[in-house]
Amino acid sequence: MARVAFIGLGRMGHGMAGRYLDAGHTVAIWNRSKAKAEDLIARGARWATSPEDAAVDADAVVTMVADDEASRAVWLGPTGAAKTAKAGTIAIECSTVSYDHARELGRELNARGLMYIDCPVTGLPDAAAAGKLTLLVGADAADLERARPFLEPIGSTIRHFGAVGSGTVYKLINNLMGAIQIAGLAEGLAIAEQAGLDMKLVLEAIQGGVAASPQVLRHSKRMVARDFAGATFTAALRHKDAAYAVKLAESLLAGKPLVARAAVEAYAQAKAAMPDEDEGRMIELVSRPK
Ligand code: NAP
């Protein structure tokens, strides 16, 4: 089996790293805080002292960290994986990063002889742990074929959008649309509550109505019940994705984004108030105290 370096063991990365162990690969892991690695070490992973250490002799390096800053640090920082990854190593960036960063990182790693795959994902942490993520790939077709054995343990669907960066474009529009829907849902529900509607009936109507995307279906029950236990996606991460999407929109759209800016502003407020809480708590910003 192959040697995989896996970096970033948060809600998503922890389950993904476990999938490489389950597939029988030799896995080296690193996370900024070691506590999250203990059970993976018990399952046979090697704890690396740095991303640089994890990447020694790796056939593939897979990263799943928060944002551009974290991605830059683990790949290109003073102890980054690029320091030791040998020429020909397959570099797979699964974090949701900005379009500019995805392309810059690709150029930087290619210049060092690595093969780079842009591979953000959709799916919640339970899908990550089950190997059922959807992988949004930007890569040369030949590079994708080489990377495929390292994508199969973590994803059940691979969508190849085109060249490096295109997976990130899709991921950002996907999460921007999610941000707009969730913020819109929060305001809609808050209005209905304040107007005194029967919220059981409102929920029933939403669930059977045309405005209900899977995002809306998932968040509407939690918002009405004000039950935000088990945060899977935080306000800070949603804000980050929407902000990256707006930056991209500003460079591409003639008329500049309109609703996207409002979503970023809404999530900037949610992030300031509750960065690590479930993104659905957005409703608390707009509703009157109960
Ligand atoms: P998370 O639980 O907050 O984990 C973030 C990870 O990034 C942790 O390993 C954290 O290390 C690391 N990190 C943060 N800043 C760092 C830095 N400066 N240097 C090095 N490491 C750093 O987030 P997550 O939910 O797993 O999300 C990870 C990525 O997947 C994000 O890009 C997110 O947008 C994307 N995503 C998430 C979901 C979801 O449902 N959660 C779904 C699809 C995609 P520590 O453990 O030390 O803090």
Side-chain angles (χ1 to χ4, degrees):
M1 287 310 241
R3 284 160 304 198
V4 177
F6 196 98
I7 294 162
L9 305 173
R11 273 177 292 264
M12 297 293 286
H14 183 276
M16 293 163 72
R19 292 290 305 166
Y20 289 105
L21 287 170
D22 291 346
H25 293 301
T26 300
V27 183
I29 52 173
W30 182 84
N31 192 55
R32 189 175 55 175
S33 41
K34 189 180 175 187
K36 294 178 188 171
E38 298 298 352
D39 63 318
L40 293 167
I41 297 168
R43 285 168 61 191
R46 171 176 80 83
W47 172 253
T49 54
S50 62
E52 176 183 17
D53 178 30
V56 171
D57 284 334
D59 299 303
V61 179
V62 187
T63 50
M64 190 52 157
V65 292
D67 53 16
D68 287 5
E69 189 193 341
S71 169
R72 202 169 289 114
V74 300
W75 284 107
L76 304 173
T79 60
K83 283 250 146 101
T84 50
K86 57 186 188 300
T89 298
I90 302 170
I92 303 176
E93 176 53 278
C94 290
S95 324
T96 307
V97 295
S98 70
Y99 178 64
D100 287 348
H101 175 75
R103 299 206 324 155
E104 273 164 34
L105 182 61
R107 279 194 291 269
E108 190 70 42
L109 295 181
N110 286 161
R112 296 170 193 226
L114 276 64
M115 199 198 90
Y116 179 74
I117 292 280
D118 170 36
C119 186
V121 310
T122 54
L124 295 173
D126 56 349
K132 298 224 155 47
L133 294 170
T134 294
L135 309 180
L136 311 169
V137 173
D140 292 341
D143 290 350
L144 171 56
E145 285 321 302
R146 265 197 69 209
R148 205 175 276 279
F150 299 100
L151 303 181
E152 278 164 358
I154 56 173
S156 53
T157 304
I158 296 175
R159 295 197 195 283
H160 183 203
F161 287 96
V164 165
S166 59
T168 291
V169 171
Y170 179 77
K171 175 64 185 175
L172 295 179
I173 66 158
N174 182 75
N175 278 25
L176 175 64
M177 291 187 286
I180 292 165
Q181 288 172 17
I182 296 163
L185 173 69
E187 287 192 5
L189 291 177
I191 293 167
E193 283 174 356
Q194 203 54 41
L197 269 61
D198 175 346
M199 294 309 290
K200 196 164 165 277
L201 206 58
V202 169
L203 264 185
E204 246 177 63
I206 287 176
Q207 306 279 322
V210 293
S213 66
Q215 282 285 19
V216 166
L217 291 176
R218 195 164 74 81
H219 283 283
S220 54
K221 287 189 213 139
R222 285 164 68 85
M223 284 188 189
V224 168
R226 298 293 195 276
D227 172 9
F228 302 111
T232 49
F233 200 65
T234 63
L237 288 178
R238 182 64 74 178
H239 172 260
K240 178 250 317 179
D241 291 357
Y244 289 163
V246 163
K247 198 168 151 230
L248 181 60
E250 280 167 351
S251 71
L252 292 176
L253 300 184
K256 306 296 180 202
L258 297 173
V259 291
R261 286 213 182 100
V264 170
E265 172 52 27
Y267 271 98
Q269 289 189 33
K271 180 183 167 184
M274 46 187 123
D276 300 323
E277 296 289 323
D278 190 90
E279 58 181 334
R281 279 191 66 187
M282 155 70 68
I283 192 169
E284 292 172 0
L285 294 181
V286 290
S287 46
R288 290 177 192 265
K290 284 193 168 180

